[in-house]
Amino acid sequence: MKLKKINSTLQENLSKNGLLEPTTLQKKTFGTIKSGRDVVIFGPKEQGKTTAMIIAALQRTERPVEGEIATRVLIVVKDKFEVERLMEVFEAYSRYTDLRIYGVHDYTDLDEDKNLLSLGNDILIGTANRLNEMFASAGFDVNQLKMYIIDDIDIQLRNRLEPRLHRLSESIGKTQRLYLATEFVEQLDMFADKSLSEDAEWFDFYDDDEEEEDNE
């Protein structure tokens, strides 16, 4: 996949999995996400929002850092099935990197989750409920956290998970935030006001101007 200054190992893994050309969404958001700014993305499923998120997470981590065991990217997803799906995709796209990627959800064993994370983790994928439980009971180390990502934030806010998502955000403190949604929901404005930096970039791939540019 041809993206400016993408990690060479990541680029090779993407190509081996059939991702040879980026979508418009992936191409237009990659540089801004890589810059470290907070980003919100609205777009249809076929534009590859989740893939853009995975690319961003792997680009940011690249490889394990010697001596560091704390999570560097935290990804909140809507349910157990999405945790399991993303774990499979991350495994395929992170080959030869030795990145430590772990998934937790409402049906995993909390004590085992905490023990495994204590051995070292780079990317943690989980549901809002389980991650809140871990933060409350484990003294979760956020000192090395580089990204806080919420995938399908529109669905999670509609499912009344805003208090849990906000509690996680407050616990984390200052780090880059990336929110991805298929459609706009009213709760997002309030959530963004509470959690995003003032210079956050919003991308709307339903916008007429975007469509016109794509057709040129």
Side-chain angles (χ1 to χ4, degrees):
M1 182 179 285
K2 299 174 183 178
L3 290 166
K4 191 174 182 180
K5 296 184 179 180
I6 189 173
N7 175 274
S8 58
T9 302
L10 173 57
Q11 184 177 36
E12 183 177 348
N13 284 334
L14 293 170
S15 297
K16 286 181 177 178
N17 283 276
L19 299 177
L20 302 178
E21 294 292 335
T23 65
T24 299
L25 182 152
Q26 292 159 4
K27 187 162 50 177
K28 290 188 176 182
T29 60
F30 180 71
T32 304
I33 298 172
K34 191 156 64 73
S35 74
R37 291 177 65 181
D38 290 351
V39 175
V40 182
I41 301 173
F42 299 101
K45 293 180 180 179
E46 60 269 20
Q47 272 289 329
K49 296 186 303 300
T50 299
T51 300
M53 174 266 289
I54 294 171
I55 291 171
L58 293 174
Q59 175 76 19
R60 193 66 182 269
T61 48
E62 292 194 22
R63 293 186 180 278
V65 177
E66 186 176 352
E68 289 186 5
I69 63 171
T71 300
R72 288 185 285 153
V73 175
L74 179 64
I75 304 172
V76 190
V77 298
K78 60 186 178 181
D79 55 33
K80 164 192 172 182
F81 304 104
E82 194 65 8
V83 172
E84 294 172 343
R85 185 181 79 85
L86 283 187
M87 287 294 296
E88 292 182 2
V89 180
F90 265 101
E91 183 178 350
Y93 294 175
S94 64
R95 291 187 67 190
Y96 312 116
T97 66
D98 296 321
L99 284 169
R100 301 160 296 181
I101 303 167
Y102 193 62
V104 301
H105 53 72
D106 302 11
Y107 301 97
T108 54
D109 183 272
L110 181 58
D111 289 330
E112 183 180 358
D113 291 338
K114 291 187 289 186
N115 290 335
L116 287 172
L117 285 176
S118 70
L119 300 176
N121 171 257
D122 296 295
I123 299 173
L124 176 60
I125 307 164
T127 56
N129 287 333
R130 176 44 55 92
L131 291 171
N132 268 275
E133 288 179 325
M134 294 181 69
F135 269 65
S137 63
F140 196 88
D141 184 359
V142 297
N143 291 326
Q144 305 302 322
L145 198 67
K146 305 298 183 186
M147 297 183 79
Y148 174 50
I149 302 172
I150 306 177
D151 198 15
D152 293 314
I153 191 171
D154 50 333
I155 296 173
Q156 298 200 55
L157 290 173
R158 276 202 303 264
N159 289 340
R160 301 182 179 180
L161 289 172
E162 190 273 341
R164 293 176 178 81
L165 296 174
H166 185 61
R167 195 176 303 123
L168 285 171
S169 184
E170 285 191 318
S171 301
I172 289 164
K174 187 175 182 180
T175 192
Q176 182 185 17
R177 285 160 167 77
L178 172 60
Y179 301 157
L180 303 108
T182 300
E183 59 185 56
F184 179 79
V185 292
E186 291 183 4
Q187 302 97 311
L188 182 54
D189 269 339
M190 185 178 296
F191 186 78
D193 285 343
K194 287 192 251 182
S195 60
L196 295 180
S197 60
E198 292 183 358
D199 68 342
E201 185 84 15
W202 294 62
F203 291 91
D204 182 357
F205 288 90
Y206 294 105
D207 187 271
D208 290 339
D209 292 338
E210 294 281 356
E211 293 179 4
E212 289 174 9
E213 189 171 332
D214 292 345
N215 291 330
E216 288 179 358

